[in-house]
Amino acid sequence: MRALSNFPLEIFGDRSEYPFDEILSFGPANGRRAGDRVFPYDIVFDASRQDIYELLASLPDGFVPDVLLFVWPDQDPIPSKLEQCPIPTLAFVSDYNLALPLYLRSWPFFDLVLCDRPGLQVLGSLPFARVEPICQFSFRPDVHHIYREPSGKPIDRDIDICFVGNLNPQIQRERSLYLERLQALSGQHKVFIGSTPQGEAYGRMLSRSRITFNRSIRGEINLRCFEAPACGSLLFIERENQEIRDYFEDGREVVLYSPEDLELKLKYFLSHEEERAAIAARGHKRVQQYRLASHLHGLPDLIRQLDRAQRPIADALTTELGRGELQLLTWASGGPLLSPLVKAVQRAPHSALARNQLAVAMLARCADQVSPQDAYEHLAAATHLDPSYLPARWNLCLLAEQTGQVELRKAILSDIEQILSKSPLKPSSLDGFVLPLNYSSKQREQAGAWCAAQREGFITPVEALHRHWLNQEMSQLAAAEPVSEQAPLSPAPAL
């Protein structure tokens, strides 16, 4: 079986380890950066500008792929016309808790979506042809190992407790509370909490750490679950994690903690070095079985079961919107970034959703290349096209706030309050990006609400979030000092 991948799988191990006879990768000319290394692609291909047929035509003679792999397609653009791809197409989806709104219309592009176990209820409720669980994380053998002195002796473990990772409290609210608890131990123990560049510096930090603290965001097994044991550090992970027991045994290879016993267990293992080292050593031995290739060994059987005819067929508007939304936070830029959403508006000029998504892309990613007035006009048009459409009103509210137009902001909030008084709202009234993006608290909240809506089968969590935003805005206005008004923005064009 031959695989064509948008991700250089050799980042996580030699290609010969994977369950494919041959693998080729495709991507931009500057390669894929992973920590302090850049991995080149076999085929130089700009998915933001080229279509699937151009990709297939660029393959070497004799290479006919049996499957097309897209690893984390919210990070790298997908080629146009992917919905027409004649070979099975797979997507590995990870951070849906932050990016689900980007995926809501991506179902026409993939025959199989692979995610962690907690994601089955979320992604499985969308119209994808098939969703299956898989572990898509591992460690890099060239980076995550026990580092040694020139003499061959392992480097000293001079850090008692370590956490290296995302410290943004807007994204990791629960984790940040636990990190405060770790920091409180710094008077008695050497604690490191921070960020280190991925690559050797990160691997060395884990190799210096007696205990590596971890807390997942979705109850999933994440990269750190493999990286820490690979570096010989004792992994601490939350007891309620839904996947960790599939890979490690509590008290023998890792330590599971609860909110009530975290400090107690940390202090115990820091004062019982032989026991700590023995568990860490067994974890280090166990993790060698969990290279990324080992997680994918069942993939060929899944691929053989796929029926291309089962992939849902979507209209042109949905595919243009889906591609434009999915690539919004990728490296695509300028015209290629906006092109699918421009086409969506051209196909459906009376779609409030299409106009809102285009305006958000213009403001969030292309503000230095387009006129803000053009974006404003799309948002204003969206509110006229659908008087109950909330995302465009929230985006206009932000523009009014940024330009100091208090009265306009109040008027928009009054409209929002009137719309929310007519509960329950249609899903179409709530569907659309709300600024700011780039993993802001608002984007995290929006993604979380849509995840809850998919799990529950009701739009109520999204509607409740809009009420929460309204209460926040009204409280801010009530507490704010009066500011001078500026000239109002131009009215929306006649439709």
Side-chain angles (χ1 to χ4, degrees):
M1 181 172 284
R2 294 184 175 95
L4 182 61
S5 172
N6 75 330
F7 185 88
L9 293 172
E10 59 270 25
I11 291 176
F12 287 101
D14 192 86
R15 289 187 182 184
S16 63
E17 300 176 10
Y18 291 90
F20 300 106
D21 299 310
E22 194 173 355
I23 301 171
L24 289 181
S25 62
F26 65 91
N30 58 356
R32 175 98 182 196
R33 176 166 291 281
D36 49 12
R37 286 186 60 186
V38 174
F39 292 80
Y41 292 100
D42 299 307
I43 300 163
V44 174
F45 180 79
D46 185 345
S48 72
R49 298 174 182 270
Q50 296 175 271
D51 65 37
I52 186 62
Y53 296 108
E54 291 175 281
L55 173 60
L56 297 178
S58 69
L59 300 179
D61 290 342
F63 183 88
V64 179
D66 299 288
V67 65
L68 182 55
L69 306 178
F70 283 93
V71 179
W72 310 324
D74 58 303
Q75 298 181 19
D76 293 278
I78 60 173
S80 60
K81 302 180 182 178
L82 183 59
E83 68 280 3
Q84 303 173 19
C85 184
I87 61 175
T89 304
L90 277 61
F92 292 79
V93 177
S94 175
D95 293 331
Y96 52 86
N97 57 296
L98 299 175
L100 186 64
L102 305 175
Y103 281 98
L104 292 179
R105 275 163 286 276
S106 66
W107 45 267
F109 307 121
F110 306 114
D111 299 290
L112 174 63
V113 168
L114 300 163
C115 64
D116 54 39
R117 189 173 298 132
L120 292 177
Q121 282 187 302
V122 175
L123 296 167
S125 66
L126 294 173
F128 291 112
R130 186 169 179 177
V131 181
E132 295 288 345
I134 201 168
C135 180
Q136 52 195 283
F137 296 124
S138 182
F139 63 96
R140 286 178 54 189
D142 63 322
V143 169
H144 307 116
H145 54 83
I146 296 174
Y147 283 76
R148 298 180 181 276
E149 303 287 358
S151 65
K153 174 182 175 293
I155 63 175
D156 291 338
R157 294 196 180 273
D158 59 337
I159 298 172
D160 293 323
I161 306 168
C162 166
F163 174 80
V164 180
N166 192 327
L167 302 178
N168 185 344
Q170 293 184 343
I171 295 175
Q172 297 282 357
R173 288 183 178 178
E174 186 178 72
R175 180 189 287 171
S176 65
L177 299 176
Y178 278 87
L179 295 183
E180 290 177 5
R181 293 170 64 173
L182 297 187
Q183 193 63 54
L185 300 175
S186 60
Q188 309 163 52
H189 304 284
K190 186 170 182 180
V191 177
F192 177 86
I193 299 172
S195 298
T196 298
Q198 293 293 312
E200 183 176 339
Y202 175 53
R204 285 186 174 277
M205 180 64 69
L206 295 181
S207 277
R208 292 173 55 197
S209 304
R210 297 170 69 194
I211 293 174
T212 295
F213 173 82
N214 191 11
R215 188 164 192 88
S216 69
I217 196 169
R218 302 183 299 273
E220 84 288 5
I221 194 163
N222 58 20
L223 281 167
R224 202 173 295 105
C225 292
F226 301 106
E227 294 166 344
C231 293
S233 183
L234 175 58
L235 175 69
F236 265 52
I237 179 76
E238 76 273 5
R239 181 173 298 280
E240 58 269 32
N241 191 286
Q242 297 180 39
E243 298 182 316
I244 190 68
R245 293 172 183 83
D246 294 341
Y247 301 90
F248 299 99
E249 183 179 342
D250 179 28
R252 179 172 173 78
E253 296 157 338
V254 299
V255 172
L256 306 185
Y257 65 84
S258 68
E260 295 77 25
D261 64 14
L262 173 62
E263 287 84 355
L264 184 66
K265 287 192 171 182
L266 286 169
K267 291 177 181 179
Y268 176 84
F269 284 105
L270 289 174
S271 62
H272 293 76
E273 175 58 21
E274 287 188 8
E275 191 172 348
R276 183 210 65 80
I279 297 175
R282 288 191 289 266
H284 177 73
K285 182 179 180 180
R286 173 68 69 182
V287 81
Q288 306 309 317
Q289 303 176 20
Y290 300 138
R291 301 278 278 268
L292 181 60
S294 70
H295 300 321
L296 305 187
H297 269 289
L299 205 51
D301 287 339
L302 272 178
I303 294 167
R304 293 185 187 99
Q305 297 171 20
L306 297 178
D307 180 356
R308 176 66 184 80
Q310 297 299 313
R311 189 193 299 181
I313 297 174
D315 59 29
L317 174 61
T318 300
T319 56
E320 296 291 3
L321 277 173
R323 180 167 175 260
E325 293 165 344
L326 191 55
Q327 73 176 9
L328 183 59
L329 297 181
T330 68
W331 49 259
S333 63
L337 174 76
L338 296 178
S339 177
L341 298 175
V342 169
K343 291 177 182 177
V345 171
Q346 291 171 344
R347 289 184 183 279
H350 297 291
S351 167
L353 172 63
R355 287 190 178 259
N356 181 77
Q357 306 302 67
L358 174 58
V360 168
M362 295 167 72
L363 292 168
R365 294 293 315 281
C366 302
D368 58 343
Q369 304 170 48
V370 300
S371 166
Q373 185 67 26
D374 290 342
Y376 166 77
E377 290 175 358
H378 281 300
L379 293 173
T383 67
H384 292 304
L385 289 165
D386 183 349
S388 68
Y389 188 65
L390 285 175
R393 285 178 166 81
W394 283 116
N395 293 322
L396 286 170
C397 188
L398 179 64
L399 293 180
E401 180 183 6
Q402 291 176 340
T403 53
Q405 299 184 79
V406 177
E407 293 306 315
L408 177 58
R409 184 182 173 198
K410 288 180 180 178
I412 295 170
L413 289 173
S414 178
D415 287 345
I416 292 172
E417 186 174 28
Q418 287 295 317
I419 293 169
L420 286 171
S421 70
K422 300 172 183 177
S423 177
L425 298 180
K426 300 176 296 183
S428 59
S429 297
L430 302 161
D431 183 8
F433 297 139
V434 176
L435 293 165
L437 298 180
N438 293 321
Y439 304 115
S440 65
S441 60
K442 185 157 281 188
Q443 182 186 348
R444 183 196 62 79
E445 291 171 343
Q446 189 176 22
W450 278 101
C451 285
Q454 298 304 318
R455 283 192 295 265
E456 298 172 14
F458 299 98
I459 200 66
T460 308
V462 183
E463 186 174 327
L465 176 62
H466 284 257
R467 295 183 189 282
H468 170 68
W469 286 344
L470 178 64
N471 292 335
Q472 280 186 327
E473 291 287 327
M474 299 299 280
S475 297
Q476 289 175 10
L477 277 176
E481 292 288 334
V483 295
S484 60
E485 294 291 309
Q486 296 186 6
L489 295 167
S490 302
L495 298 176

